[in-house]
Amino acid sequence: MNAITETNLKSAFGGESMAHMRYIQWGNAAKKEGFPNVSNLFKAIAYAEQVHASNHFSELKNQVGEAAVTAGAGFGLTTTSENLQGAIEGEDYEVEQMYPAFMAVAELQGEKGSMRSFKYAIEAEKTHSALFTVAKQAVDNGQDFTYDTVHVCDVCGYTLTDDVPDNCPICRVKKEMFTVFNTEK
Ligand code: FE2
Ligand code: FE2
Ligand code: FE2
């Protein structure tokens, strides 16, 4: 594997792993603050980030050894509104800055598997940013996120609140390959 794509995959693996854990913390906090559906949304998207981390890890295959991880991303626990703002900024950074740059390098280097892994992530992060934005608007009006059911594609991390289409719009797998997250009552 080409060295720069390898470095980018490791960096993305680190970033996605941290996003996974961060959303679990913010999900727990949202529940305590009285926003159970926001909590469920955080848990669902935490799972989507796990899918991305797993995809990147798989692409690294037999690249054994140490990797230094310096991840610049939101840290800390404040109000759910501010946590959602941090989540939106993180997702937008991935959509606008990180993954387009990683994609361009992978394309240049002909790293097809990495291109797919980055492509799945960038398309899924767009859905995450949009969902967090809707959730933040609700919270800022003193309300919970409207939806108590969230679906996540097991293959690419695409996330939606509506009915799942027959095939995932990003990776084309069948609807049976989605995991459903329901708010705990
Ligand atoms: Fe992700
Ligand atoms: Fe995301
Ligand atoms: Fe998918």
Side-chain angles (χ1 to χ4, degrees):
M1 175 174 285
N2 286 287
I4 305 295
T5 290
E6 184 185 328
T7 300
N8 291 344
L9 270 176
K10 288 175 179 170
S11 175
F13 170 72
E16 296 287 357
S17 301
M18 284 176 53
H20 167 76
M21 287 307 301
R22 187 182 303 118
Y23 291 165
I24 288 174
Q25 310 309 315
W26 287 349
N28 290 339
K31 192 172 182 183
K32 280 196 198 122
E33 208 180 315
F35 300 110
N37 291 346
V38 174
S39 178
N40 185 56
L41 178 66
F42 269 126
K43 298 292 173 75
I45 296 182
Y47 170 69
E49 310 310 0
Q50 182 185 331
V51 168
H52 295 158
S54 303
N55 287 346
H56 299 335
F57 195 85
S58 299
E59 284 308 320
L60 284 160
K61 298 186 179 78
N62 56 355
Q63 313 290 320
V64 177
E66 289 185 17
V69 174
T70 307
F75 191 86
L77 196 58
T78 59
T79 63
T80 292
S81 174
E82 284 179 277
N83 294 338
L84 284 165
Q85 183 60 35
I88 293 163
E89 285 170 13
E91 299 287 349
D92 288 348
Y93 171 78
E94 289 181 308
V95 170
E96 292 162 11
Q97 300 285 328
M98 188 181 103
Y99 280 124
F102 289 1
M103 273 290 290
V105 172
E107 256 174 58
L108 186 74
Q109 299 190 328
E111 296 283 3
K112 293 225 161 51
S114 301
M115 284 166 60
R116 184 182 53 223
S117 200
F118 293 147
K119 174 79 179 163
Y120 284 177
I122 194 170
E123 295 303 326
E125 314 308 8
K126 290 177 189 171
T127 65
H128 300 167
S129 176
L131 289 165
F132 283 140
T133 299
V134 172
K136 185 175 187 302
Q137 284 164 354
V139 167
D140 288 347
N141 288 321
Q143 288 164 350
D144 199 359
F145 184 54
T146 310
Y147 304 91
D148 59 5
T149 302
V150 180
H151 307 273
V152 181
C153 177
D154 290 347
V155 174
C156 73
Y158 175 74
T159 304
L160 78 168
T161 51
D162 303 323
D163 290 338
V164 179
D166 289 340
N167 294 90
C168 175
I170 299 176
C171 74
R172 311 305 303 165
V173 292
K174 291 196 181 346
K175 67 200 283 189
E176 290 74 24
M177 294 294 286
F178 278 72
T179 296
V180 60
F181 290 82
N182 289 309
T183 300
E184 291 169 37
K185 303 285 179 191

